[in-house]
Amino acid sequence: FLSLVAEVCCGLFMILILSRFWLLAVLYLLWLYLDWGTPCTGGRRSQWVRSWTVWKYFREYFPIHLIKTSDLSPDHNYLLGFHPHGVLVAGAFGNFCTGPSFKNLFPGLTPYLHIMPIWFGCPFFREYIMSAGMVSASKESVSYVLNNEKGGHASVIVIGGAEESLNAHPGSLTLNILKRKGFIKMALKHGAHLVPVFSFGENELFKQVANPKGSWLRTVQEKMQKIMGFALPLFHARGVFQYSFGLIPYRQPIHTVVGSPIPVKRNLNPTTEEIEQLHALYLQKLRKLFEEHKRNYGIPEHKSLIFE
C-alpha cells in the first residue's frame, strides 16, 4: 500500500521535472535538502490531515477498534511494541495516525508511528506521511521522541519489521521477535515504559502466495528485502465488485489491544544480561496479553503465539 502511493508520488515528481514546471521541482529538491532531518526530530504532523473524513471510512471499512486494558500516565514516555506487522499494518495506521480513539483513551499522550527511513526519501510522499504522524524508525528518531523530559510521548514501533510481513498469512501467529532487542535497549536508555500491543485480525486482511521458509520464493523475497530494505509479499484479496480476486483488503475486524505498561528504570549503559532479562519479561507480558484476549476475537483455545 505504501509502495503504491510512494510510486505515484515519485511519478508525479518526474512529470513535474519533465514539464514546464521544472523550476518548482528544483525548488522542492532544495526544500528536501533543508528539511531532510525533520523525520528524525518529531516530524511535522497536521491535525487537519489526521482528521480527514476518508480515514473515518477507512477505519469503518474493516472496522478498526482500539482497546484499552490499563491507564498510561502522561507523566511518562512509552515505547509501544506493535504486533504483528501484517501486510497493511492497518491497525497501527488506523489507531495511531488517524481518528480520536487514542487521544480519548489515553489523554495527554502523543503517539509517533515509526516507519522505515527509506519512505522519507520519496518526494511529496514524505510530507504526507509526516503530516499523519509518522516518523523515522532510526535510533536518532526514537531517541528524540523518548527524550521528552515532561513525558507524554509514545513511540509506536512495529517490532517484527518488514521481514515479518512475509509471515502474514491468515491464521498465522508467528512473530519475528527473538533477535529483535534494539527496542529494549532504547527503552532502558531513556527509561521509557514498555507496552505490548497486539492487533487481532491484522493477518486476515490478505491472502499471500505460499512462501514457506526454504522455498525458492521465500529465498528470493528475503534477498530482495535485504537489498531494498522492505519486503515484497505477494498477496491478493478482493475486488471492487467481486470477492474472488483483487488488491482491496477483506473486510475483517481489527481489534488493537494495548496492554499494561512494564515500568523501566533509566539505564544509560545497560548490560547484555539486563537487556536479555527485560526482553524475556516483555515476551512474557506479550504472550499473556494474547492469551487473555484471544477468545474474544475468534482465536481457537489451542492456538498460541510462536516467537522466532
Side-chain angles (χ1 to χ4, degrees):
F1 177 74
L2 284 177
S3 299
L4 179 61
V5 179
E7 287 174 7
V8 171
C9 290
C10 288
L12 291 174
F13 184 71
M14 290 303 299
I15 292 173
L16 195 63
I17 290 177
L18 299 174
S19 70
R20 59 180 179 175
F21 301 106
W22 61 269
L23 182 58
L24 291 177
V26 173
L27 291 174
Y28 181 80
L29 285 176
L30 176 60
W31 160 256
L32 191 62
Y33 173 78
L34 296 173
D35 193 58
W36 191 256
T38 301
C40 294
T41 54
R44 187 170 46 247
R45 69 181 57 218
S46 165
Q47 191 55 41
W48 175 67
V49 173
R50 288 166 61 89
S51 302
W52 280 352
T53 302
V54 67
W55 304 134
K56 175 186 176 185
Y57 294 128
F58 172 79
R59 293 189 303 274
E60 292 179 350
Y61 171 80
F62 297 99
I64 296 174
H65 304 280
L66 186 65
I67 292 88
K68 171 183 176 180
T69 64
S70 176
D71 290 331
L72 298 180
S73 170
D75 295 332
H76 302 290
N77 294 316
Y78 299 89
L79 195 158
L80 277 61
F82 184 91
H83 312 270
H85 184 288
V87 171
L88 191 60
V89 205
F93 180 78
N95 286 311
F96 304 117
C97 293
T98 70
S101 295
F102 188 86
K103 182 179 179 180
N104 292 340
L105 292 176
F106 304 102
L109 285 185
T110 302
Y112 295 82
L113 179 60
H114 296 270
I115 64 174
M116 290 185 296
I118 188 174
W119 298 118
F120 295 98
C122 180
F124 302 135
F125 182 66
R126 70 188 296 274
E127 319 302 336
Y128 156 68
I129 56 180
M130 277 198 290
S131 65
M134 297 184 221
V135 291
S136 172
S138 67
K139 292 181 180 179
E140 177 188 356
S141 177
V142 177
S143 291
Y144 182 90
V145 173
L146 297 180
N147 205 32
N148 186 31
E149 294 182 358
K150 296 181 179 179
H153 281 188
S155 280
V156 183
I157 302 178
V158 184
I159 304 300
E163 182 182 357
E164 194 173 82
S165 67
L166 299 178
N167 290 328
H169 296 272
S172 174
L173 295 172
T174 301
L175 303 181
N176 291 57
I177 191 172
L178 291 182
K179 296 180 180 179
R180 310 249 173 179
K181 299 172 184 176
F183 73 103
I184 298 292
K185 190 174 183 179
M186 292 299 291
L188 282 165
K189 282 190 171 184
H190 295 280
H193 294 195
L194 281 167
V195 182
V197 178
F198 196 87
S199 196
F200 292 89
E202 200 74 46
N203 284 340
E204 317 306 315
L205 306 185
F206 297 93
K207 291 180 180 178
Q208 191 172 166
V209 175
N211 60 341
K213 288 195 173 183
S215 66
W216 69 268
L217 176 57
R218 185 61 169 256
T219 301
V220 170
Q221 288 175 320
E222 290 174 346
K223 287 183 178 179
M224 293 295 288
Q225 189 260 324
K226 290 180 180 179
I227 295 173
M228 299 186 298
F230 56 90
L232 292 173
L234 298 180
F235 59 89
H236 64 88
R238 53 162 291 187
V240 178
F241 301 111
Q242 45 78 29
Y243 292 85
S244 57
F245 189 81
L247 294 179
I248 298 176
Y250 293 115
R251 298 191 70 176
Q252 296 289 340
I254 297 173
H255 295 87
T256 303
V257 184
V258 181
S260 301
I262 303 170
V264 177
K265 186 177 181 180
R266 190 175 188 183
N267 183 349
L268 294 177
N269 296 293
T271 64
T272 301
E273 183 180 358
E274 289 169 332
I275 294 173
E276 292 285 352
Q277 288 178 349
L278 185 55
H279 186 260
L281 177 59
Y282 180 85
L283 295 183
Q284 177 186 330
K285 295 295 185 181
L286 174 59
R287 188 180 295 279
K288 181 181 178 182
L289 178 70
F290 174 81
E291 293 295 333
E292 288 179 347
H293 294 273
K294 67 180 184 181
R295 301 170 191 82
N296 299 332
Y297 308 117
I299 306 295
E301 184 65 32
H302 68 278
K303 290 270 192 175
S304 295
L305 293 178
I306 300 173
F307 296 146
E308 289 188 345

